[in-house]
């Protein structure tokens, strides 16, 4: 036997052994023959399309407006897992953060710039006890977060003026990305693997036979498919209903103020009482007042100026930066607050992915969805997040 034969054989048997040990033997995760239609051009459609195309599937993305036009464009895009409970949901977010590092390594930090400086969060008054308790719980789960003093706030965020501080924390693994840029970068990468990104194309229905979707119907005509990935944000509910499945989602609104691009001054996220502030990697400041719903807040210029004035109190470096945009986003909130991910019980070749915190979880969801759609093993991480819990 030659050296090459020997090495090839050893390699093949080693790989077979590894597959057998990991329980993946026989898994079909190469997608050359699959025609997959992805409905929705937000961050979730983008990560799923990228991972599918990379695995060899023939991918067509259908987006009714333009890439990132939905919740994604209006997202604060804080990549975090700390406050997420229970543990399985925390893990989806934590592995999502890790997934962003993988994507940056694959695509290049120059192509996909991100800010990985962590998040400094401080409070005063009665919220301090709650924050202290939350941080202790996160530490017990192994999350890289620690209590810090007021002096460390200004060391981590030079120039920031936090005001009174009764408790503060630093979550070192957290970061942020520009959600629109990330979506574009992922679609560009998917295109290099042969994916087609079609917009504006609106999905209007489905042709079914034998419990499977055979064609996706659109305002521009039908498209044949082997599989469908339903990543249409709030439209997942009505589209799934056409297939006899329940994907209950509600919404809440969130307003953010954005500035023009300025030199980098904020090396990490800065969260003080009443203001969440970040600077995107390309230099624009973004600020909002709450991660909960703010139904009474309108996306007016006055609101934007008020948000910016408040943020300036903490981050004087915002200075004279001009307001460039005020956005009103509609969150995609599954009815029970947890992601809805997996094949529809009523239609096995349609895979839904609807969630809040999709910026944090996106890379993991894209990776797992592509494997499952292409017939690979089911990820037990997703066991409690399947759509059949609403059946
Ligand atoms: C104000 C705000 C702040 C947020 N902050 C954070 C945060 O800090 N961290 C975090 O992790 N997450 C955050 N989120 C949540 C996160 O942004 C979302 O979970 C994520 O963007 C959802 O992405 P998606 O692709 O599922 O949905 P979307 O971005 O809504 O994309 C769905 C797409 O489907 C398209 N579509 C709909 N119907 C059809 C049809 N019939 N045919 C074709 N296309 C269709 C839409 O046009 C849209 O582009 C925030 C969201 C908001 C609104």
């Amino acid at each position: 036997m030659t050296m090459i034969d020997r090495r090839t054989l050893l390699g093949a048997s080693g790989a077979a052994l590894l597959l057998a040990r990991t329980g993946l033997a026989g898994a079909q995760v190469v997608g050359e023959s699959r025609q997959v239609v992805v409905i929705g051009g937000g961050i979730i459609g983008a990560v799923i399309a990228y991972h599918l195309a990379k695995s060899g599937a023939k991918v067509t993305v259908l987006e009714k407006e333009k890439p990132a036009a939905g919740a994604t464009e209006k997202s604060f895009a804080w990549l975090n897992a700390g406050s997420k409970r229970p543990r399985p949901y925390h893990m989806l977010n934590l592995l999502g953060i890790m997934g962003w590092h993988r994507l940056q390594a694959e695509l290049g930090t120059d192509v996909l710039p991100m800010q990985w400086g962590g998040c400094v969060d401080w409070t005063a008054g009665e919220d301090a006890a709650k924050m202290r308790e939350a941080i202790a719980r996160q530490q017990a789960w192994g999350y890289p977060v620690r209590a810090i003093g007021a002096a460390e706030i200004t060391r981590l965020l030079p120039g920031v003026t936090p005001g009174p501080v009764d408790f503060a924390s630093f979550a070192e693994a957290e970061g942020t990305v520009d959600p629109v840029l990330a979506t574009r970068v992922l679609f560009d990468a998917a295109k290099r693997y042969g994916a087609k990104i079609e917009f504006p194309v609106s999905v209007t229905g489905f042709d079914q036979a034998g419990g499977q979707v055979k064609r996706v119907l659109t305002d521009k005509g039908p498209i044949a498919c082997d599989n469908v990935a339903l990543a249409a944000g709030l439209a997942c509910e009505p589209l799934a209903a056409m297939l006899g499945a329940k994907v209950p989602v509600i919404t809440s609104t969130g307003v953010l103020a954005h500035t023009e691009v300025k030199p980098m001054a904020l090396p990490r996220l800065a969260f003080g009482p009443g203001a969440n502030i970040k600077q995107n990697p390309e230099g624009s400041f973004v600020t909002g007042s709450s991660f909960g719903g703010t139904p009474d807040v309108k996306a007016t210029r006055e609101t934007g100026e008020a948000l910016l004035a408040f943020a300036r109190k903490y981050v004087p470096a915002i200075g004279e930066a001009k307001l460039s945009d005020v956005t009103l986003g509609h969150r995609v909130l599954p009815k029970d607050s947890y992601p809805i991910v997996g094949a529809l019980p009523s239609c096995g070749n349609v895979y839904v992915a609807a969630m809040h915190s999709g910026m944090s979880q996106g890379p993991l969801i894209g990776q797992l969805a592509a494997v499952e759609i292409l017939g690979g093993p089911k990820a037990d991480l997703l066991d409690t997040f399947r759509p059949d819990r609403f059946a």
Side-chain angles (χ1 to χ4, degrees), residues 18-31:
L18 183 68
L19 283 175
R21 279 206 188 123
T22 52
L24 302 185
Q28 153 50 25
V29 286
V30 178

Side-chain angles (χ1 to χ4, degrees), residues 39-45 62-64 69-72 74-78 201-203 231-233 235 239 254 291 329-331 355-360:
I39 305 174
I43 191 67
I44 300 300
L62 304 176
E63 162 55 47
K64 73 171 182 180
T72 299
K74 287 97 184 176
S75 182
F76 189 79
W78 166 36
V201 178
S202 189
V203 172
L239 289 168
F291 285 104
H330 295 269
R331 297 182 181 87
M355 72 209 67
H356 184 54
S357 289
M359 290 308 307
S360 302

Side-chain angles (χ1 to χ4, degrees), residues 214-238:
K214 300 292 178 190
R215 297 195 310 169
V216 175
L217 308 179
T218 81
D219 57 356
K220 307 271 178 357
I223 301 180
C225 61
D226 299 306
N227 296 83
V228 176
L230 186 50
L234 287 169
C236 285
E237 177 161 1

Side-chain angles (χ1 to χ4, degrees), residues 184-203:
R184 180 172 53 71
V185 166
L186 286 160
F187 278 139
D188 285 350
K191 280 197 259 182
R192 289 197 292 278
Y193 286 109
K196 290 188 226 152
I197 321 297
E198 310 278 8
F199 63 93
V201 178
S202 189
V203 172

Side-chain angles (χ1 to χ4, degrees), residues 230 236 246-249 333-342 344 351-356 361 365 382 384-390:
L230 186 50
C236 285
K246 288 187 185 141
V247 177
V249 283
L333 301 172
K335 203 171 164 195
D336 63 1
S337 308
Y338 298 110
I340 308 174
V341 186
L344 295 183
Y351 191 100
V352 68
M355 72 209 67
H356 184 54
Q361 299 164 82
I365 298 297
L382 294 174
T384 50
F385 303 108
R386 299 300 187 185
D388 61 7
R389 70 185 188 272
F390 299 108

